[in-house]
Amino acid sequence: MTRAILYARVSSDEQNKGSSPDDQIRRCGEYARTQGFTVVAEIRDDYTGYEFERPGFDKVRQMIAKKEADTLVCLSGDRLARTVFVVGRISSELLRRYRVNLHFVSRGRVDYDSPEGEFIMLMEAVGNQYWGTKAKEVMKNGRRALVQDGIKPGQGPTLYGYAKSGDRKETRE
């Protein structure tokens, strides 16, 4: 019997709109059923993938260390981690150490044991790191453009130095 932990991660409210943790868990659950896995936990994380230590992933690590699961299922590599460094730590301190199988719904079982498999996993991590960093840059530039156009970024309380007039996208200083 293969015991699987389903893991979902988002780091911003914006991501909740396109691929919420519940949607990720649903898709991971469908994948697990088709593979014949027994789901022992569904863990949702609302934390950056640039960090190894995060609340939900710490639970995953604890369960695996206690040998409560032998398989980890994630939607894709970018939902597991966003940097090569974090993927390397996950590979050495979790997957290899406890002989855990890793599955991505997007591509199936991840081979991290062979030199070719490790290369592919790390190259995917390089891509995830690039696209994550690029997305941050685009968002930063977008916020800067809003401010330059006189639009208060975000909603909520008025920031010091601003006087709010208008609603949502029409908000001006």
Side-chain angles (χ1 to χ4, degrees):
M1 168 180 75
T2 301
R3 298 163 302 150
I5 298 171
L6 310 182
Y7 178 73
R9 184 192 66 76
V10 295
S11 57
S12 69
D13 290 337
E14 198 60 35
Q15 289 175 324
N16 276 320
K17 295 175 185 173
S19 186
S20 71
D22 289 338
D23 181 54
Q24 291 178 48
I25 291 293
R26 180 188 56 75
R27 292 175 62 193
C28 288
E30 290 168 359
Y31 175 86
R33 279 189 293 284
T34 64
Q35 299 296 313
F37 300 161
T38 300
V39 175
V40 295
E42 297 177 353
I43 298 178
R44 294 157 178 83
D45 224 344
D46 185 12
Y47 207 80
T48 180
Y50 288 91
E51 300 290 333
F52 179 72
E53 295 179 5
R54 38 195 140 124
F57 196 67
D58 290 346
K59 292 176 190 172
V60 169
R61 292 174 30 221
Q62 290 167 1
M63 289 183 71
I64 289 173
K66 292 178 185 175
K67 302 198 183 314
E68 296 174 2
D70 46 33
T71 300
L72 177 60
V73 178
C74 300
L75 185 64
S76 58
D78 65 328
R79 299 299 86 214
L80 180 62
R82 276 288 190 187
T83 71
V84 175
F85 174 73
V86 173
V87 168
R89 278 193 72 184
I90 290 170
S91 178
S92 65
E93 296 180 26
L94 189 69
L95 304 177
R96 285 189 174 96
R97 181 176 186 185
Y98 297 103
R99 302 305 310 151
V100 174
N101 290 311
L102 174 62
H103 288 255
F104 294 151
V105 174
S106 62
R107 68 179 176 103
R109 185 179 179 279
V110 177
D111 170 22
Y112 57 83
D113 284 326
S114 72
E116 296 81 7
E118 182 177 38
F119 175 78
I120 291 168
M121 183 174 76
L122 291 174
M123 286 301 99
E124 181 179 21
V126 167
N128 291 336
Q129 183 172 332
Y130 169 78
W131 287 112
T133 304
K134 193 69 177 167
K136 283 182 177 181
E137 177 185 43
V138 167
M139 288 185 282
K140 180 180 168 185
N141 290 340
R143 286 190 297 271
R144 184 177 292 127
L146 288 174
V147 170
Q148 288 173 345
D149 290 344
I151 301 171
K152 176 186 170 284
Q155 300 301 313
T158 303
L159 301 175
Y160 179 77
Y162 284 91
K164 183 177 176 181
S165 69
D167 289 323
R168 299 194 183 274
K169 291 183 179 181
E170 302 304 317
T171 303
R172 297 282 189 259
E173 65 174 303

